[in-house]
Amino acid sequence: MYEIQELTAQDEWLEAFPVMHELRTHLDENAYLELLYKMADEGYKMFALFNDTNILAVTGVIIRTNFYDGRHVFVYDLVTYPSERSKGYGELLLTYIEQWAKEHGCEKLALDSGVQRIDAHRFYENRMGFGKFSYGFKKMIDMK
């Protein structure tokens, strides 16, 4: 039996770190917590899929409003332990988040995915019904 819970306390966030680190490999535990506290202050929510007491997958989301998507849930993170992939856990989490979004007055789910993540794109489009609507662009700002 699987259960999805919102993670709200530091000890829960630390328990989720090994899974999140699979996606956010550039973060060590301290940087992860520092950013997570700031993100939580801005409305970021983290949810985990558990099998008994083990976290198998996590997602991080935020409710946002803008001109092109209206009130929506933006999915920042969705990751499953590599050994647990292709078992439907990502689908369970995104389906849960879709219902959560509906309960919070949101009509859309939005996310970005790195261009190299071909398998993830196939999952989002073919399994979860997402469509490609734009290209994302980034520019690093010289902080000197």
Side-chain angles (χ1 to χ4, degrees):
M1 183 68 174
Y2 303 107
E3 181 181 1
I4 297 173
Q5 294 178 10
E6 183 179 353
L7 307 181
T8 59
Q10 181 171 311
D11 62 325
E12 296 171 329
W13 294 342
L14 286 171
E15 187 180 352
F17 176 72
V19 182
M20 184 64 79
H21 192 254
E22 293 293 328
L23 180 65
R24 307 296 179 206
T25 57
H26 64 287
L27 296 175
D28 64 22
E29 204 171 78
N30 289 332
Y32 163 79
L33 282 177
E34 184 179 325
L35 287 168
L36 191 44
Y37 272 105
K38 291 176 184 176
M39 292 162 56
D41 284 345
E42 295 173 3
Y44 178 91
K45 308 281 187 195
M46 184 181 287
F47 296 88
L49 177 88
F50 289 83
N51 179 4
D52 298 319
T53 59
N54 300 318
I55 294 177
L56 303 174
V58 297
T59 188
V61 302
I62 194 165
I63 294 175
R64 289 286 183 232
T65 304
N66 58 35
F67 289 121
Y68 50 91
D69 284 327
R71 184 174 168 84
H72 64 281
V73 168
F74 190 85
V75 180
Y76 281 116
D77 315 289
L78 178 66
V79 60
T80 301
Y81 265 128
S83 63
E84 302 297 327
R85 291 192 181 137
S86 298
K87 296 181 181 179
Y89 302 147
E91 185 173 354
L92 286 171
L93 272 174
L94 273 182
T95 301
Y96 178 90
I97 293 303
E98 186 173 345
Q99 182 59 43
W100 183 84
K102 198 181 296 187
E103 292 168 4
H104 287 82
C106 300
E107 296 180 359
K108 277 185 193 169
L109 287 179
L111 58 83
D112 290 337
S113 182
V115 294
Q116 76 283 5
R117 300 190 67 226
I118 304 302
D119 290 338
H121 303 167
R122 194 170 19 257
F123 166 72
Y124 295 132
E125 290 179 296
N126 299 340
R127 191 115 175 221
M128 297 307 300
F130 282 75
K132 288 183 189 173
F133 291 95
S134 66
Y135 288 100
F137 294 91
K138 244 184 243 192
K139 180 179 179 182
M140 299 303 291
I141 297 173
D142 185 0
M143 299 303 285
K144 295 178 194 173

